[in-house]
Amino acid sequence: MAYQVVRSAIRQARRLFRQNEPIPEGLLRPEILESWMRSRSYGLEFDKADKRLLSIEAIRERIRERRDLYETALPVMEKLYDFTAGSGCLTTLSDEEGYMLKAMGDKEIMEIARKNKFMEGCNRSERRLGTNGIGTPLVTHRPIQVFAEEHYYELHHYWVCSGAPIFDPAGKAIGVFCVTGLFDKVSYHTLGLAAAAADSITQQLAMKQAYSAMVRTQQRMKVIVETVPSGILLCNRDMEILQCNSRAAALLVLPESQIVGKKLHDILGKEPFAHDELQQKLDDKDITIERDGLPLHFVFSLTAADTDDYVITFVKTESFHKKVHRVIGSEAYFTFDNIVGQAPAVLNAVSLARIAAANNSTVLLTGESGTGKELFAQSIHNGGARRAGPFVALNCAALPKSLIESELFGYESGSFTGARREGSAGKFELANGGTIFLDEIGDMPLDVQASLLRVLQNREVSRIGSSKATKIDVRIIAASNKNLPAAIKMNAFRADLYYRLNVFSIHIPPLRERTADIRLLADYFLRKYADLSSRLIEGFTDAAYRALEKHIWHGNIRELENVIERSVYVARSRLIDVESLLLKPSTHNPLPALYGTDTELAAAFRTNEAADAAKKALTMASGNMRLAAELLGVSRRTLYRRLADMGLQPADLRQK
């Protein structure tokens, strides 16, 4: 039934796409829509495709030219096939141009795939076949699962393809590992298998290159090893350390003479690897040791060398997480140059933000949702001395109360049910040496606020389940769309935490207070989405500009951006007109501002008059649950829960 619902939604999106009509948000994943748009720009049709195959000799030549990729990937494919045999899955390896070099699977699925010419020698690049699990990762450089009708080519609608790119040590995409099967037999978890396999191949390629260089000559090995930022240990089968680099000695806080010749478990004070872990390549295992009473957190990887030895690499956990952030996008990309606007209120906010960037003070950003608080946070980070460090963002309203503390502070092994066996670092540890951005901090539970206050005071963090504290060097930027002083009066926010955060306060003005910037912003977003979609849209009609300026932007800049993006896709001429904007008529909103709490309403909501207070808030907010929650001084999730406890539906309380 779940498959049917998903497929029905995708089919609806597909019909709208074919008719050049806007696709409602939530009906189709943005990355799929972007791929469909690219596929259309290539001139591809839904029911026609080029499925020519390479000759056997041409396939062999490609394999010879990509021998390292092929030889490294083949054992991974074989191990994964042993694990998935009988599951109806087909694993494939393709090169950087989308040509399939190897396919492996059960006889039945292989035969079905052959009938569809999904076999060695086929080409699955996006330019040839549109959206699919091989060609699309080569374009985006990100793993993706393409489900049924999400495929651009109609004959692929019974398949699910989970593909992940493989990178060479230089970071260039050189292939794709893909797990494919019929849509009713493939799990959503299949993408994790494909991504893990691709990452394993990528890491093995990097390790193979480093190891090949090391064995050429002893001297060259020494030069190369000493330039690697990781600690490296060479151990024999008995885990006796044969060699180490200076970085390993520095990380372990021991001279090299006290490392070489010793057993690894003696150096670490514990047995780091289980017996079964020594039988295979091991990546990214968290290991914590003690040195002089202080905890040291590392990430270890182990590879069996051709000489029956082990090569062990390790880095500090914080260094590893910085690399992870660069891969998964936990970086600050925006700078002050990305802030568009000439309104005095905006220029004043930017001026204050530049001053904040020049020092290390805690910053509190206030403003309505959609005004660009994270844009300012990233700009402050990139404008300061911590620009080379990580930028870690956490939305305090997006996590349940039971998880937010472990997300912030991390946890040790076995701290609670469901915890990872090796424990996990929290956001503060991940942000060490950089900036942590706590968005919507007004929704943080009071008990977590107390823990956060201790971190701000002591500049150290203790993982859940640990009695040891780790010193951190983190800049804090907090943001809220709530009236925090009003929340303090209602005991919904700690006053001492507020004063700790409110060292450098910057208010981001709503769009209605910067009408003069609307044309600038509209032009900026038009250029952005016209370039992304390759549509020849040159500007707006005068009437469209006036309509944008008269509109009440409840969602601020975020809403404006969404309107312009949609208009770029639906515009039928080179100038966006009023009809293309698809603006809903603005109604008078009785709220004095879309930001803040009504103290009287909030107090009533906490008494037996809660239902009447909720009804009044919803009426004032024109039925908008988010705005009603702001008036009541609670999160939207809390408002929904309280209404459910009273047996009420939001629709019952809205003004008829």
Side-chain angles (χ1 to χ4, degrees), residues 11-27:
R11 288 169 182 159
Q12 182 181 352
R14 195 176 183 87
R15 285 194 298 271
L16 294 171
F17 182 78
R18 297 188 73 161
Q19 296 167 5
N20 288 321
E21 296 183 10
I23 298 175
E25 185 176 352
L27 202 61

Side-chain angles (χ1 to χ4, degrees), residues 346-573:
V346 174
L347 295 178
N348 180 62
V350 171
S351 177
L352 290 173
R354 289 185 183 275
I355 296 172
N359 58 64
N360 201 38
S361 298
T362 299
V363 177
L364 178 62
L365 302 172
T366 60
E368 300 172 13
S369 294
T371 52
K373 293 188 289 296
E374 182 161 0
L375 171 61
F376 270 79
Q378 291 193 20
S379 299
I380 291 171
H381 171 82
N382 281 328
R386 295 174 177 267
R387 65 178 66 89
F391 178 88
V392 178
L394 178 70
N395 188 321
C396 300
L399 290 171
K401 179 181 177 181
S402 59
L403 290 181
I404 188 170
E405 196 163 15
S406 62
E407 282 290 317
L408 276 172
F409 311 123
Y411 58 85
E412 293 293 352
S413 173
S415 300
F416 52 87
T417 302
R420 293 173 55 191
R421 183 176 65 179
E422 63 272 23
S424 177
K427 299 298 187 191
F428 271 99
E429 287 186 61
L430 299 180
N432 202 23
T435 301
I436 187 168
F437 175 52
L438 302 176
D439 198 9
E440 298 193 40
I441 198 167
D443 290 310
M444 180 179 285
L446 282 170
D447 54 342
V448 183
Q449 291 180 29
S451 300
L452 175 60
L453 181 63
R454 286 194 295 273
V455 172
L456 295 178
Q457 291 172 333
N458 302 328
R459 293 292 167 172
E460 59 184 26
V461 63
S462 297
R463 294 186 182 185
I464 297 173
S466 173
S467 60
K468 297 185 179 297
T470 300
K471 287 290 184 181
I472 56 170
D473 175 24
V474 177
R475 179 182 194 162
I476 293 96
I477 300 179
S480 179
N481 60 5
K482 295 185 178 301
N483 187 327
L484 294 182
I488 292 172
K489 293 179 181 178
M490 294 179 295
N491 295 320
F493 199 83
R494 293 180 63 106
D496 46 5
L497 176 59
Y498 173 73
Y499 294 121
R500 276 280 179 181
L501 294 172
N502 194 30
V503 177
F504 205 110
S505 180
I506 302 173
H507 180 67
I508 316 300
L511 191 54
R512 64 179 173 277
E513 294 180 7
R514 45 184 300 200
T515 307
D517 287 339
I518 289 180
R519 294 197 180 202
L520 285 174
L521 289 164
D523 290 341
Y524 173 81
F525 292 132
L526 183 145
R527 290 192 300 271
K528 172 182 176 180
Y529 291 106
D531 290 343
L532 287 174
S533 62
S534 299
R535 298 211 65 199
L536 297 176
I537 308 296
E538 297 176 352
F540 299 87
T541 65
D542 289 338
Y545 273 132
R546 290 193 296 271
L548 291 172
E549 291 172 336
K550 291 180 180 178
H551 187 72
I552 299 176
W553 298 100
H554 299 307
N556 292 295
I557 297 175
R558 185 182 297 124
E559 181 188 359
L560 174 63
E561 179 176 3
N562 292 342
V563 167
I564 302 305
E565 179 182 7
R566 180 182 59 204
S567 302
V568 168
Y569 295 141
V570 303
R572 298 182 179 180
S573 68

Side-chain angles (χ1 to χ4, degrees), residues 57 155 486 593:
E57 183 53 42
L155 287 183

Side-chain angles (χ1 to χ4, degrees), residues 221-236:
M221 179 194 73
K222 189 69 174 177
V223 172
I224 294 174
V225 168
E226 289 300 329
T227 62
V228 173
S230 306
I232 298 180
L233 302 173
L234 180 64
C235 299
N236 61 20

